[in-house]
Each structure stands twice: as C-alpha cells, then as structure tokens.
C-alpha cells in the first residue's frame, strides 16, 4: 500500500520534471534548463554554496514528504559540513536524528526503514567510512527488489556522503569510492558538480524509486557558489550534460574534477583545441547515448577522475565507448586519473589528476 | 632511575631505542618501595577487582612525572605547529590522557603489543619513540617514524611492539585480537593491549572481535579510553549503556580511574596476568581530553569550559603525580619546575631538528604499495612517472 503511494508520488514528480521521457539526442543542457524552469513555489534564484544547496534540498524533501527521515553521525546540530543545519529544529528529533558511530548499522537500518515505504536519507560522514556499510548496500539494498520478485524494495533509500580530495585529507578523508558501487546493478550513483546541480540531483535522487548513493564533492562545499533556484526542482537522473560544446575532443568527468577539466579546456582553447566537456552526473546507469553522440562527433575521448586509474569508472566508459565507437575513434581513449597508490598524505599534489596532466593528455590525444 | 624503565626493554632493542629519560639526577631516585592507595576503587564486572594498594618506587614516580610532562609539552607544541601550518591534515591530541599511556607502559614489557586508534602520539612516545621522529612524522618529513607517509594518525614502532595508528574508527580492534592470537601461538607470555574510544564502542566489529577473543581465549586486553565524547557526541547520547566495561557481557571488565597513573598501572598489570590464563578482559579507562577531538574542533561547543577547567583542577594526571612526589618528599617543587623547563627545551630542540629533515623524495610515492613494488604500473600522462617492473 505504502509502496504504491511511494511509486505514484515518484511518478508524478518525475513526470513534472520530465524524467523518464524519451531521451533522444536532444541537447541535454537545454533539457536541463527546461526542467529547472518547471519550478514549484518561488521563482527567484539565490547565490549559495554547495552545502547550502544540499541543505535546501533536504529541507524541501522533508517538507514535501512527511515520511522522510534524515539521519547519520552528527547530523542533528547541522553536520560536520553544515549540510543538515536547521533540519532538526524544523522537523523535530523524530525525523532528523543522530546515529551512533556504526556505518554498517546505519546502512542496514536505512534499508529497513526504506523497505517500509519511507524515504530514508542516511549520511555517511565521509565516503572513506562507507566500507563497513558496503555489505549492506551491495548485498541488501541493491538486491532487495530483485530477489523478492518486486514484492519488496528499498527504493526510498538515499545515502549521502562527502567524497574526494580536499587538499589535506590524507588517506581517510579524501577517497573517491564511486567505482566500487558502480559495479553493483541495482544501485544508482549520482555525483553533482555544483550547487545548482546538487540541489536538483539530490531531490531527484531522494524521490527516485531506486536506492541511490549520492556523493558530494567536499572540496566544493564552500568553494562553489552558484545561482540556485529557491523553489523545488529536480534534474533528470541518468542524463549526462554537455556543459561546453567543442569539436576536437570529448572530455568526461564528474564532481569536483569538472572544475579542473574546465580549466584545461580554457588552456587548450588557447592552443586552438576545441574541447567538448560532458558532466556524466549519474554514473550508473550512465548516459551512453550522449557520450556516444559526442565521441561520434569528435573522434577522441578523455576521461578524468580522482579515483585511482586501475578499475576506476573511467575504465568502464573507455571500454563501452571503444565498443560503440570503434571505427570512429581516431586515438586511444585517454584516462587521466589518480595514481595506483593509496591516497597519499604529503604527495597529494603528485597523485591528483591536475590541469597540466589533462592538458598533456589532450594534446597527445589530439595529435595522435 | 631511568634504568627502572629501560631495564624492561628487550636487550636487543635497547640500542635502537633512544632513551626518553635523562641520566641520574640529584632528586631522589631510589628504588625503595612505596605503597600508595588509589583514590578511587576499581569497578568490576564478572571479576574480582585488584587491590587498591599499589606499590611503586620514588624512581618510578619521578620518571612518570617526567614522561607525562614531556608528553603534555609535546602535544601542546604540536598544537602550535598545527596553527603555524607546519603540520597539515589531521592532528588528534592526547593531553589529559597521559596517565593511560604511561601507566600501561609501566605494567608491561616492550614484547607486549599495543595497538590503538588515531590519538597515538603519546603512546608512540611511551613505547620509546623519539620526539624527533614524532615531530618529523607530524610534519611529513622523511625522518618521521613512518617515513613521512603516515602522518599524525599512523605512528608505528615495530621493535617496541607498537602497532599504531589507525584512522578508521574501530578497525584496529579485530587487528588487536589477531595480534593476540599470534602471541598465544608463540607461547611467550606476551599480551596485546587493544585500545579504542567510547565512540568506537558501538562498532559491530568490536563485538565480533570480542566474541572471537573469548571463544579462543586470546590474551587480549580491550582498553576503552573513555574520554566521554565521541568527537562532539557525549557518551550518553551515543550509547544505550555507557558502562563500557560491562559491554563485554560474558567477558569480564574493570572500570579504572584513567587519570590516576597508579590505578592504570595496577589495572594493566592485573589484566595482563588475567588474560594469559583466562582470555580477554575489558578495561574502561575513565579519562578526559582537554583539546577538542582534533585540531579542527575547538572542543567547547559540546562541553562547557567549566567542565574542562574542573577536570584540570581536580583530576589532572600530572598534578596528581606532582602532589604525590611532594607529599612523599621525593623532590622539591622547584626541582620539578626545573624539570619542566628542561623538558620544554628538549621539545624545542627536537622540533628544530625535525624541521631540518627534508620532505620525502617523489619516488617514495610509489614505494611500499606492494612488497618490492612489484606489479605496480604507475602511468599517467605525466611522462616523468617511472613505470615499475613486474616480477
């Protein structure tokens, strides 16, 4: 009963935002704009940073669905990154509460809560701590609907977690574990690049009837400021966005890495290389069509992510595109990623896929 | 007097470990026994508690005072270095909790193993680590105890049985049980002290490890350093039962005044004898940290300054030992003050030396991912990166 209601609500909202409609080779950027326009509530925008945008999304999510809950370590006072400020005061300690220090318990508990038809929005304080919860997410959350023949599901589950390098995080406050979860059919992995994207994608993730892991780039929490619509809006999942049009090479990234890629694009433009930049946004299920269309146009592909290169999600993109665009490719698919070492402490600048590494790779690929 | 503690060092390691303590002093350094009663009793769980009467010597008390004052000074110096941005990343300070490290060390040998979480600077020093190695590691220099690759949370000392230094909360607990299993196998009469905090006490892996330890009678002592706050969360808000020494259920436990060096020493000595015969025990050290959780935490948003000041006034471990020394006429107040001044200088010299140490070479980035760096292909578009050879 409750499940049907959840699905209906999900469908209504996705209908309103244009998700699930036919996604041809339409200009995704324009589509996103169209989606953003269909707002409920206020029509204005305000310049806010990433954690404020996430906070706004959570406020709206809890406001619009009385059966949604936010919990995790230290979320009550606002969280270590201030993403949950004001929620406990506004919605009460029965809906916004702290959990003890037990990630496996948090994930399992969230799955159970979601299985009862609620929207469980759990926070894992740093993505580096998600591994005790890995079993619950992979073996329970991802497989719940499948193994029960659709009798049960935990679609209301959303796990939010800050990921990525921050300049001084070291081994356990900087990891990018998205690739581990991209390997699990049944889960969705969503990563926003900016405040506007974060709010829209988070609301879409919360309302999506599948378990979603939402990684937030912690480096951008304060750094990234953007005009964000004040009302309720969603951005489509599984739709990549072409954020910069070009003709010589396709660059793909997600999260904080896009800022670095953008800088590389600017520098490459000075050398006369026209780069097309795509934000993947949803890592699984990922928008193969958009990427394929872009590579069919440019004939070259470069993927960049912070996670170590071997087995990173770039490998999946490279293999799929090689399969789909083999005859069109004019150079090997380049991957500029973190090195195959544990995330280092003092060596962080060496480890990271920096603008210059990307620029080198762009030139090497274009001149192949 | 330094000999009292140094004597317990394995003879082969005595040369490797630079002594933390100075040569003989004018102050009383006799080894004539003193018996002192702990100010608080031990609270037992499924076990008969040890006696409250602890035997010590003037030499030991003076050495303890010196070591704890050194640790205190080192932690405060680390605070300044962090604010000066010479230490980056994370830095979790131990000031206030010194008695646990020093008391434990006084009860055991360097063949026993200690493993802990990330608040590990003072445990490293207690295990014989040098100030220079500690500060160099904090600043990420090559002369650090982990060659600059670990940082604050990853201090290790193999020759002294110090297994570090772990960032993930609770992850070290099953590791400690594994160490104890190896020790049981070796039949050398050694034990493992497996330290964790009140925040980690709710981790599932702790109970998994406890069950294994009890099932297989492992010589492991689980030590909960209860400083009453898991980062910013008070223990009563995180745990249904904050009586961590009882949480082992079928595993016996003891609650100890963690600010009292003698109580800690007595409890650890008792625990070591117990686990060698009977399997695991939980020691809950009732202690307190003056600093916040880490250098990013002011430590005053979730507790009052009065509380912190109150503990400093009533229960400070160093002041306690100072009072004992003065009460038993083992040294004058001025001598102790001079000792502290000397310690200050010693720490400053160590910091200066640590600052001279260089940053590790870039090639270190790829070292020790695997043994002999085999199988590692480090490639990127940066052509300067060397590809290592596959076996």
């Amino acid at each position: 009963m409750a499940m049907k209601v959840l699905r209906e609500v999900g469908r209504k909202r996705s209908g309103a935002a244009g998700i699930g409609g036919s996604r041809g080779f339409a200009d995704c950027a324009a589509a996103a704009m169209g989606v953003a326009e269909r707002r409920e509530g206020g029509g204005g925008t305000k310049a806010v940073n990433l954690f404020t945008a996430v906070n706004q999304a959570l406020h709206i999510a809890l406001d619009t669905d009385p059966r949604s809950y936010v919990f995790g370590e230290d979320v009550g006072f606002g969280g270590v990154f201030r993403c949950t400020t004001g929620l406990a005061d506004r919605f009460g300690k029965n809906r916004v509460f702290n959990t003890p220090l037990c990630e496996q318990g948090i994930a399992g508990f969230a799955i159970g809560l979601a299985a009862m038809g609620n929207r469980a929005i759990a926070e894992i304080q740093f993505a580096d701590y998600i591994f005790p919860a890995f079993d619950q997410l992979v073996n329970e959350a991802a497989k719940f609907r499948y193994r029960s023949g659709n009798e049960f599901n935990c679609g209301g589950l959303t796990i939010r977690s800050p990921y990525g390098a921050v300049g001084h995080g070291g081994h356990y406050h900087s990891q990018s574990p998205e690739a581990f979860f991209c390997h699990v059919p049944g889960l969705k992995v969503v990563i926003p690049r900016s405040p506007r994207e974060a709010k829209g994608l988070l609301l879409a993730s919360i309302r999506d009837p599948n378990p979603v892991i939402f990684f937030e780039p912690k480096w951008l929490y304060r750094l990234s400021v953007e005009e964000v619509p004040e009302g309720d809006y969603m951005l489509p999942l599984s739709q990549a966005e072409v954020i910069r049009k070009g003709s010589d090479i396709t660059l793909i990234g997600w999260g904080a890495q896009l800022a670095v890629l953008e800088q590389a694009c600017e520098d490459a433009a000075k050398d006369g290389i026209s780069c097309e930049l795509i934000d993947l946004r949803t890592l699984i299920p990922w928008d193969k069509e958009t990427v394929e269309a872009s590579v069919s146009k440019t004939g070259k592909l470069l993927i960049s992510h912070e996670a170590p290169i071997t087995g990173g999600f770039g490998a999946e993109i490279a293999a799929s595109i090689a399969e789909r665009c083999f005859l069109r490719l004019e150079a090997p698919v380049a991957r500029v990623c973190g090195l195959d070492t544990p995330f280092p402490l003092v060596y962080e600048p060496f480890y990271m896929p920096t603008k210059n590494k990307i620029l080198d790779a762009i030139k090497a690929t274009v001149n192949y | 007097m330094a000999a009292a503690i140094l004597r317990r060092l394995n003879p082969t390691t005595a040369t490797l470990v630079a002594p933390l303590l100075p040569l003989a002093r004018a102050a009383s350094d006799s080894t004539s026994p003193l018996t002192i009663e702990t100010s608080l009793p031990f609270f037992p769980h499924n076990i008969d508690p040890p006696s409250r009467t602890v035997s010590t010597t003037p030499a030991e008390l003076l050495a303890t005072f010196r070591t704890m004052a050194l640790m205190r000074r080192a932690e405060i110096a680390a605070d300044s270095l962090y604010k000066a941005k010479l230490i980056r990343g994370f830095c979790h300070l131990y000031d206030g909790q010194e008695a646990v490290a020093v008391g434990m060390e006084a009860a055991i040998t360097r063949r026993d193993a200690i493993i802990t979480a990330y608040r590990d600077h003072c445990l490293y020093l207690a295990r014989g680590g040098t100030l220079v190695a500690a500060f160099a590691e904090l600043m990420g220099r090559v002369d650090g105890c982990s060659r600059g690759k670990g940082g604050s949370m990853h201090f290790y000392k193999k020759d002294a049985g110090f297994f570090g230094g772990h960032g993930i909360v609770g992850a070290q607990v099953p590791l400690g049980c594994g160490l104890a299993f190896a020790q049981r196998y070796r039949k050398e009469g050694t034990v493992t002290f497996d330290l964790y905090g009140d925040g980690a006490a709710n981790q599932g892996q702790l109970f998994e490890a406890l069950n294994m330890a009890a099932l297989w009678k492992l010589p492991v002592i689980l030590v909960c350093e209860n400083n009453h706050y898991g980062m910013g969360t008070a223990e009563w808000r995180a745990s249904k039962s904050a009586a961590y020494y009882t949480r082992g259920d079928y595993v016996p436990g003891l609650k100890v005044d963690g600010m009292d060096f003698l109580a800690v020493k007595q409890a650890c000595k008792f625990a070591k004898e117990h686990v060698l015969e009977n399997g695991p025990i939980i020691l809950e050290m009732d202690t307190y940290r003056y600093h916040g959780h880490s250098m990013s935490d002011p430590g005053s948003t979730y507790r009052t300054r009065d509380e912190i000041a109150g503990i400093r006034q009533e229960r400070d471990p160093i002041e306690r030992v100072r009072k004992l020394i003065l009460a038993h006429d083992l040294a004058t107040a001025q001598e102790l003050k001079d000792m502290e001044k000397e310690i200050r200088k010693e720490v400053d010299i160590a910091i200066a030396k640590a600052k001279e140490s260089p940053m590790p070479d870039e090639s270190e980035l790829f070292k020790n991912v695997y043994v002999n760096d085999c199988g590692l292909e480090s490639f990127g578009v940066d052509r300067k990166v060397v590809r290592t050879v596959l076996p």
Side-chain angles (χ1 to χ4, degrees):
Chain A
M1 248 318 267
M3 249 74 71
K4 250 200 221 145
V5 174
L6 194 71
R7 244 174 283 146
E8 235 117 276
V9 174
R11 226 177 275 128
K12 255 194 233 135
R13 296 223 178 267
S14 35
I19 303 171
S22 62
R23 294 179 293 104
F25 289 79
D27 186 338
C28 298
M33 274 306 296
V35 164
E37 236 86 77
R38 266 185 288 265
R39 281 190 296 271
E40 299 163 27
T45 67
K46 197 163 165 224
V48 293
N49 58 26
L50 194 89
F51 74 74
T52 310
V54 169
N55 187 243
Q56 285 180 9
L58 291 172
H59 272 273
I60 292 170
L62 290 175
D63 201 24
T64 49
D65 185 351
R67 296 186 66 190
S68 47
Y69 306 83
V70 169
F71 48 92
E73 291 158 22
D74 299 309
V75 300
F77 81 91
V80 289
F81 292 110
R82 303 225 246 137
C83 294
T84 50
T85 30
L87 290 173
D89 291 333
R90 189 167 161 207
F91 299 102
K93 295 228 166 99
N94 288 330
R95 289 180 68 194
V96 180
F97 51 92
N98 290 336
T99 59
L101 216 170
C102 45
E103 286 75 19
Q104 185 168 24
I106 293 170
F109 171 90
I111 293 166
L113 192 58
M116 290 289 270
N118 302 295
R119 292 194 208 281
I121 306 163
E123 175 181 301
I124 300 288
Q125 196 162 80
F126 281 86
D128 313 61
Y129 309 159
I130 206 167
F131 300 107
F134 194 68
D135 173 67
Q136 283 289 338
L137 292 170
V138 170
N139 280 330
E140 305 304 319
K143 302 174 166 72
F144 212 155
R145 191 190 291 273
Y146 187 83
R147 71 186 182 208
S148 67
N150 206 16
E151 194 160 331
F152 283 103
N153 72 78
C154 58
L157 173 69
T158 307
I159 305 271
R160 283 184 44 247
S161 190
Y163 88 101
V166 75
H168 54 267
H171 313 90
Y172 300 113
H173 295 79
S174 318
Q175 289 177 57
S176 301
E178 72 269 4
F180 295 109
F181 298 96
C182 290
H183 193 50
V184 188
L187 293 179
K188 290 195 176 184
V189 176
V190 179
I191 305 184
R193 70 169 183 274
S194 70
R196 192 150 185 267
E197 294 289 305
K199 183 174 172 183
L201 288 171
L202 182 55
L203 280 166
S205 301
I206 291 170
R207 292 161 177 167
D208 187 276
N210 292 290
V212 178
I213 305 183
F214 190 80
F215 286 116
E216 298 162 0
K218 66 171 86 72
W219 201 339
L220 300 182
Y221 272 141
R222 279 174 216 269
L223 229 58
S224 181
V225 179
E226 200 180 25
E227 290 288 323
V228 174
E230 284 178 317
D232 185 350
Y233 69 100
M234 293 193 286
L235 293 172
L237 296 187
S238 294
Q239 236 188 70
E241 189 182 343
V242 179
I243 54 182
R244 187 192 169 106
K245 285 200 153 302
S247 53
D248 291 331
I249 182 171
T250 303
L251 307 179
I252 298 184
W254 49 85
Q257 192 61 12
L258 280 164
V260 185
L261 281 164
E262 234 166 341
Q263 285 178 5
C265 286
E266 297 285 325
D267 279 14
K270 295 192 191 121
D271 286 322
I273 301 173
S274 161
C275 302
E276 179 145 299
L277 183 57
I278 298 181
D279 176 7
L280 207 56
R281 301 205 294 190
T282 301
L283 268 62
I284 50 159
W286 64 285
D287 186 355
K288 295 186 175 126
E289 279 89 7
T290 304
V291 178
E292 192 184 334
S294 176
V295 177
S296 298
K297 185 172 67 167
T298 63
K300 296 163 217 91
L301 178 59
L302 182 149
I303 307 155
S304 185
H305 57 69
E306 280 177 25
I309 187 167
T310 298
F313 193 62
E316 153 64 24
I317 300 175
S320 287
I321 293 300
E323 202 179 350
R324 287 171 167 238
C325 305
F326 184 70
L327 291 173
R328 182 64 191 92
L329 281 169
E330 294 169 12
V333 175
R335 289 180 294 159
V336 183
C337 308
L339 300 172
D340 282 333
T341 69
F343 198 100
L345 195 53
V346 289
Y347 294 111
E348 186 169 326
F350 293 95
Y351 168 94
M352 293 291 283
T354 54
K355 179 194 77 166
N356 287 333
K357 287 186 187 175
I358 295 169
L359 209 49
D360 261 0
I362 290 175
K363 292 187 187 151
T365 308
V366 165
N367 297 325
Y368 187 74
Chain B
M1 76 121 175
I5 293 188
L6 280 175
R7 215 176 286 132
R8 288 199 207 89
L9 269 177
N10 184 311
T12 59
T13 62
T15 44
L16 296 169
V17 175
L20 195 59
L21 313 162
L23 303 162
R25 299 182 52 79
S28 167
D29 59 354
S30 80
T31 50
S32 51
L34 269 173
T35 44
I36 298 170
E37 205 175 86
T38 64
S39 42
L40 287 174
F42 298 103
F43 291 96
H45 169 72
N46 291 347
I47 195 170
D48 289 323
S51 156
R52 278 173 71 175
T53 318
V54 187
S55 71
T56 179
T57 69
E60 182 174 64
L61 284 175
L62 282 162
T64 299
F65 178 86
R66 193 177 198 285
T67 310
M68 289 206 282
L70 191 90
M71 289 175 176
R72 180 67 60 91
R73 186 67 220 133
E75 292 294 71
I76 293 177
D79 178 311
S80 312
L81 285 174
Y82 191 91
K83 290 184 176 140
K85 299 219 164 144
L86 282 159
I87 299 176
R88 309 297 311 283
F90 297 90
C91 192
H92 306 84
L93 299 175
Y94 200 72
D95 52 319
Q97 299 183 212
E98 296 91 353
V100 176
V102 181
M104 188 180 294
E105 195 61 35
I108 62 177
T109 74
R110 291 280 160 82
R111 316 262 324 279
D112 296 307
I114 297 184
I115 189 171
T116 185
Y118 44 77
R119 211 174 292 279
D120 57 352
H121 308 162
C122 297
L123 276 142
Y124 171 74
L125 294 174
R127 289 259 88 181
T130 62
L131 284 171
V132 177
F135 284 114
E137 185 59 39
L138 286 172
M139 295 193 276
R141 310 296 173 99
V142 80
D143 291 320
C145 49
S146 303
R147 305 183 59 80
K149 293 171 77 168
S152 162
M153 292 198 277
H154 305 288
F155 282 29
Y156 297 87
K157 198 166 185 4
K158 186 171 180 184
D159 56 19
F162 183 52
F163 288 80
H166 299 83
I168 299 295
V169 171
Q172 75 279 11
V173 181
L175 257 83
C177 294
L179 299 174
F181 184 90
Q183 287 174 323
R184 178 147 194 247
Y185 223 93
R186 288 196 198 147
K187 297 194 173 87
E188 285 166 349
T190 52
V191 301
T192 298
F193 281 81
D194 199 346
L195 278 68
Y196 60 98
D198 46 291
N202 295 313
Q203 276 278 319
Q205 50 192 326
L206 195 146
F207 297 95
E208 292 182 12
L210 204 61
N211 179 53
M212 288 194 280
L215 200 57
W216 302 326
K217 272 177 86 168
L218 303 180
V220 62
I221 298 128
L222 273 76
V223 180
C224 178
E225 287 183 290
N226 183 6
N227 56 26
H228 308 284
Y229 295 93
M231 208 158 81
T233 304
E235 58 184 339
W236 55 270
R237 294 204 297 136
S239 304
K240 176 68 180 169
S241 161
Y244 299 105
Y245 68 109
T246 65
R247 292 274 284 270
D249 184 20
Y250 43 81
V251 171
L254 205 65
K255 182 165 171 172
V256 183
D257 178 3
M259 307 294 259
D260 180 353
F261 155 76
L262 292 169
V264 173
K265 175 184 154 189
Q266 182 85 322
C268 291
K269 188 156 163 284
F270 170 77
K272 177 170 174 176
E273 281 157 17
H274 175 91
V275 301
L276 282 169
E277 294 297 309
N278 304 300
I281 190 174
I282 298 182
L283 293 182
E284 180 186 336
M285 302 287 178
D286 184 353
T287 182
Y288 200 83
R289 53 166 163 80
Y290 297 138
H291 269 88
H293 163 75
S294 71
M295 287 304 299
S296 338
D297 172 20
S300 51
T301 51
Y302 47 86
R303 49 186 193 172
T304 62
R305 290 187 205 275
D306 286 338
E307 180 188 296
I308 306 170
I311 305 261
R312 224 188 255 276
Q313 188 103 334
E314 308 284 313
R315 299 178 64 203
D316 185 271
I318 300 179
E319 291 313 305
R320 247 202 193 144
V321 176
R322 191 199 303 267
K323 280 195 197 111
L324 270 174
I325 291 175
L326 296 175
H328 290 264
D329 242 342
L330 306 176
T332 66
Q334 188 55 43
E335 279 170 334
L336 293 179
K337 279 218 174 73
D338 289 339
M339 204 189 271
E340 285 177 298
K341 264 201 216 121
E342 212 189 290
I343 284 169
R344 230 195 144 98
K345 246 188 252 156
E346 193 178 324
V347 169
D348 288 339
I349 291 171
I351 292 177
K353 186 137 194 284
K355 280 185 190 165
E356 286 169 15
S357 171
M359 287 286 191
D361 185 66
E362 288 97 74
S363 60
E364 283 281 327
L365 171 53
F366 300 106
K367 282 220 180 89
N368 303 132
V369 178
Y370 294 98
V371 74
N372 296 334
D373 304 310
C374 71
L376 175 67
E377 269 206 61
S378 56
F379 57 95
V381 186
D382 184 355
R383 306 288 181 218
K384 296 181 210 101
V385 167
V386 172
R387 275 175 191 256
T388 54
V389 177
L390 288 167

